[in-house]
């Protein structure tokens, strides 16, 4: 089954991410669930998207909201049953869309039976399924400084946890309830590929692969450079590590090699470079359709994610432009501003006060007309914003809470400034319930939600935007429809224009005689970019007055295309 008729159907697809905890609560326990998604499938279908990416719904103790899986084969009771998931798969397909699941196989939960068995003793069938190491020579296990190396975990603290039964440490790059699997053990790979095959046989259309470029660790486990947290940076030993291409090639063969048709694969890859991404996603020898890179969403990180530094339009253009250039010939980009790990883009790089509608739509116009596959995160299509968290009690996310605890109690930073960092950068900004209506709990649930709704749901919600042609939601629908109807958006070349302009984001897409010039003012000022737009007309804009001159209002975005009958070579940047 294909959507576009081309066998690379995923190139023209638009993906919508559902974070099930916060999407819709059907059974009134305050937690989003699978039937809640089924209830709202029409919203996703009417947006015009092709693929739904579902964040994890597997059985899990939810130390990290489901990214800590204790059974890959069953659905967590808080979300429903395996029959409910079958029903969702069928309903998604009946609505002409596809469904991909989150594949979290760098680590499991410490409550997974594999780990329970592995932790018991140094001998046994699963003894080697996780990454176990002795204390440093000359130290006593369990005491400070005895860890096998100096690595810190992504969620604060050491990356090693002591297990007296084995007299060894296990590695956890995330929380201590997320032990890393040992991919060097062939039985681990076989078990994972078997599980993936079972899901494909069940009818899903592919996978989003969690931190998949961390699976291969350099066996030396060398100390890393000391970070401001006091721990060493293990990244060089496991980010796109020694055997990652081999393992992913093996996966591709074992899961997809014997199947007809094309499945959707996207690998989440923190720290991946454009050159590495080109190899991972090469049309011929690559292992994945595309990757999620992190460069643009880390531009405002100084020494780390909680240490903010301002970022300018030029920086964003340079970064995204380099990705476009490097993956122009081989490989494929994924395009995203938001997901369940990122603060809301309209608050981060837009202006969610005076220019909420304008900046949300300008940012969408710019990114989603790049070359690549767009990903829209739930709530982004209505311009959901960051949250005015008042207190540390408002947060739920383990990364956020662990950081607060470390920063205030271990590093001694003032709690008010730590709170400011949380308000700006916490993943919880993305995780408040979806805002369906202006009613109690934003129409998410009739019970008290697991996480409070954003106060602004009273005016910012799906119901208020659904039938309003000048809403962010209506704009997203038009933008997606335009993308689908315009081959130059999918296959055209990309050329950045005005690279040194600090306010304007402009680029050209070209395919044969067709072309588009996208121009957006990503600032609160009025600007007049110097572009030669002769013979072109505006075919899309986020601005009511269709002005004819080149002055752009704050956050105004325009898409130009040749007028019917006009020559093909009439637009170029005059000052670049
Ligand atoms: C990925 C997920 C994130 C999770 C982490 C550990 O980055 O997107 O939510 O916490 O991996 O699984
Ligand atoms: Ca529920």
């Amino acid at each position: 089954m294909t959507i576009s008729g081309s066998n690379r159907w995923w190139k023209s697809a638009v993906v919508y991410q559902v974070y099930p905890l916060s999407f819709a609560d059907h059974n009134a326990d305050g937690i989003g669930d699978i039937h809640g998604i089924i209830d709202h499938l029409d919203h996703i279908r009417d947006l015009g998207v092709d693929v739904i990416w579902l964040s994890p719904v597997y059985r899990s103790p939810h130390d990290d909201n489901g990214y800590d899986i204790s059974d890959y084969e069953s659905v967590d009771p808080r979300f429903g049953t395996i029959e409910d998931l079958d029903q969702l798969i069928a309903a998604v397909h009946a609505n002409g869309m596809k469904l991909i699941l989150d594949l979290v196989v760098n680590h499991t939960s410490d409550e997974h039976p594999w780990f329970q068995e592995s932790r018991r003793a140094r001998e046994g069938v699963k003894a080697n399924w996780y990454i176990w190491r002795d204390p440093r020579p000359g130290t006593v296990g369990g005491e400070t400084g005895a860890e096998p190396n100096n690595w810190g975990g992504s969620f604060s603290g050491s990356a090693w946890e002591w297990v007296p039964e084995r007299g060894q440490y296990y590695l956890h790059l995330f929380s201590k309830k997320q032990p890393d699997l040992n991919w060097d053990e062939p039985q681990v790979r076989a078990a994972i590929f078997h599980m993936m095959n079972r899901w494909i046989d069940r009818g899903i259309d592919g996978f989003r692969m969690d931190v998949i470029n961390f699976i291969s660790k350099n066996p030396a486990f060398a100390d890393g450079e000391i970070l401001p947290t006091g721990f060493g940076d293990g990244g060089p030993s496991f980010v796109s590590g020694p055997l990652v291409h081999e393992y992913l090639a093996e996966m591709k063969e074992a899961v997809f090699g014997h199947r007809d048709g094309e499945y959707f694969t996207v690998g989440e890859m923190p720290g991946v470079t454009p050159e590495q991404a080109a190899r991972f996603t090469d049309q011929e020898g690559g292992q994945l359709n595309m990757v999620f890179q992190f460069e643009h969403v880390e531009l405002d990180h100084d020494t780390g994610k909680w240490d903010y530094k301002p970022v300018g339009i030029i920086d964003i253009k340079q970064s995204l432009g380099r990705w476009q250039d490097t993956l122009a010939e081989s490989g494929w980009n994924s395009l995203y501003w938001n997901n369940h790990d990122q603060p809301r883009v309209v608050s981060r790089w837009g202006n969610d006060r005076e220019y909420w509608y304008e900046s949300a739509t300008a940012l969408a116009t710019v990114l989603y007309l790049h070359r690549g596959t767009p990903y829209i995160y739930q709530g982004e299509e209505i311009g959901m914003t960051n949250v005015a968290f008042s207190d540390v009690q408002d947060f739920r996310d383990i990364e956020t809470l662990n950081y607060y605890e470390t920063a205030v109690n271990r590093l001694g930073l003032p709690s008010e400034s730590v709170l400011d960092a949380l308000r700006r950068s916490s993943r919880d900004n993305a995780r408040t319930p979806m805002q369906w209506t202006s009613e109690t709990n934003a129409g998410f649930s009739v019970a008290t939600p697991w996480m409070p709704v954003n106060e602004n749901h009273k005016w910012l919600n799906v119901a208020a935007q659904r039938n309003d042609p000048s809403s962010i939601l209506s704009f997203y629908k038009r933008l997606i429809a335009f993308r689908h109807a315009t081959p130059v958006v999918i296959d055209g070349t990309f050329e950045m224009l005005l690279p040194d302009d600090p306010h304007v984001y402009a680029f050209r897409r070209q395919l044969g005689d067709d072309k588009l010039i996208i121009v957006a003012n990503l600032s609160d000022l009025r600007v007049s970019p110097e572009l030669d737009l002769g013979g072109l007309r505006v075919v899309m804009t986020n601005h009511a007055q269709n002005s004819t001159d080149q002055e752009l209002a704050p956050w105004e975005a325009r898409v130009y295309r040749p007028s019917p009958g006009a020559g093909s070579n009439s637009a170029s940047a005059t000052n670049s």
Side-chain angles (χ1 to χ4, degrees), residues 201-385:
D201 292 342
R202 217 168 176 110
I204 67 155
D205 303 292
F207 296 100
R208 175 269 186 187
M209 304 178 186
D210 195 67
V211 290
I212 202 68
N213 64 329
F214 288 7
I215 58 177
S216 170
K217 280 85 174 170
N218 187 321
F221 285 91
D223 278 340
E225 202 185 305
I226 301 289
L227 299 170
T229 56
F231 288 98
D233 174 14
S237 296
F238 62 77
V239 173
S240 310
L243 296 175
V244 64
H245 289 283
E246 282 77 356
Y247 292 160
L248 290 180
E250 203 181 310
M251 173 194 284
K252 183 179 172 187
E253 181 54 32
V255 180
F256 305 107
H258 60 288
R259 296 175 191 274
D260 293 333
E262 240 188 283
Y263 291 85
F264 193 104
T265 55
V266 53
E268 188 206 24
M269 297 199 173
V272 73
T273 66
E275 292 71 24
Q276 290 165 343
R279 180 168 168 207
F280 280 116
T281 66
D282 183 73
Q283 297 274 341
E284 306 305 327
Q287 302 96 52
L288 298 168
N289 298 157
M290 62 196 108
V291 307
F292 289 132
Q293 55 96 2
F294 278 66
E295 195 178 280
H296 65 305
V297 292
E298 287 173 353
L299 289 170
D300 56 7
H301 298 181
D302 198 350
T303 59
K305 99 168 243 178
W306 304 107
D307 187 10
Y308 171 77
K309 73 165 188 241
V311 54
I313 305 303
I314 293 178
D315 303 316
I316 300 178
K317 290 195 284 193
Q318 271 174 0
S319 171
L320 291 177
R322 200 159 64 87
W323 280 84
Q324 291 287 309
D325 290 346
T326 311
L327 274 67
E329 301 294 331
S330 76
W332 190 248
N333 270 297
S334 54
L335 310 171
Y336 75 96
W337 289 133
N338 277 117
N339 58 45
H340 63 293
D341 295 329
Q342 299 296 329
R344 295 284 183 178
V345 71
V346 66
S347 303
R348 187 182 196 174
W349 290 330
N351 177 341
D352 64 7
R353 298 164 310 278
E354 296 91 336
Y355 298 109
W356 168 70
Y357 163 82
E358 291 84 349
S359 63
T361 50
L363 286 163
T365 306
V366 164
L367 185 69
Y368 298 135
L369 296 180
H370 277 58
R371 181 180 164 95
T373 298
Y375 290 75
I376 295 163
Y377 176 67
Q378 67 184 42
E380 179 182 342
E381 76 277 24
I382 54 169
M384 276 178 67
T385 66

Side-chain angles (χ1 to χ4, degrees), residues 19 53 64 67-68 102 104 107 155 174 178 208 210-211 268 270 294 339-341 427 431:
Y19 193 66
W53 151 25
D64 184 20
Y67 283 88
D68 50 316
D102 221 306
V104 189
H107 44 266
F155 295 164
F174 295 90
Q178 292 167 298
R208 175 269 186 187
D210 195 67
V211 290
E268 188 206 24
F294 278 66
N339 58 45
H340 63 293
D341 295 329
R427 311 194 291 184
R431 298 176 178 186

Side-chain angles (χ1 to χ4, degrees), residues 25-33 78:
D25 174 22
H26 178 88
N27 69 345
D29 62 357
I31 302 171
D33 48 46
R78 81 193 78 205

Side-chain angles (χ1 to χ4, degrees), residues 89-104:
I89 296 169
V92 169
H93 289 163
N95 278 283
M97 298 180 284
K98 302 204 179 215
L99 184 76
I100 66 171
L101 292 187
D102 221 306
L103 180 80
V104 189

Side-chain angles (χ1 to χ4, degrees), residues 69-72 106-121 125-133 160-166 168-172 175-182 188:
I69 296 167
S70 56
D71 181 0
Y72 290 108
N106 173 69
H107 44 266
T108 68
S109 164
D110 65 336
E111 297 181 31
H112 195 293
W114 297 346
F115 186 76
Q116 291 297 314
E117 190 175 332
S118 190
R119 66 172 293 148
R120 232 173 276 148
V125 186
K126 298 207 168 50
N128 207 22
W129 279 40
Y130 293 81
I131 297 173
W132 296 98
R133 286 290 180 282
W160 297 96
E161 184 72 10
W162 174 246
V163 174
E165 295 94 302
R166 270 186 75 133
Q168 282 186 311
Y169 288 90
Y170 68 84
L171 178 72
H172 59 90
S175 99
K176 64 180 180 215
K177 286 183 69 61
Q178 292 167 298
D180 282 54
L181 281 161
N182 177 16
V188 166

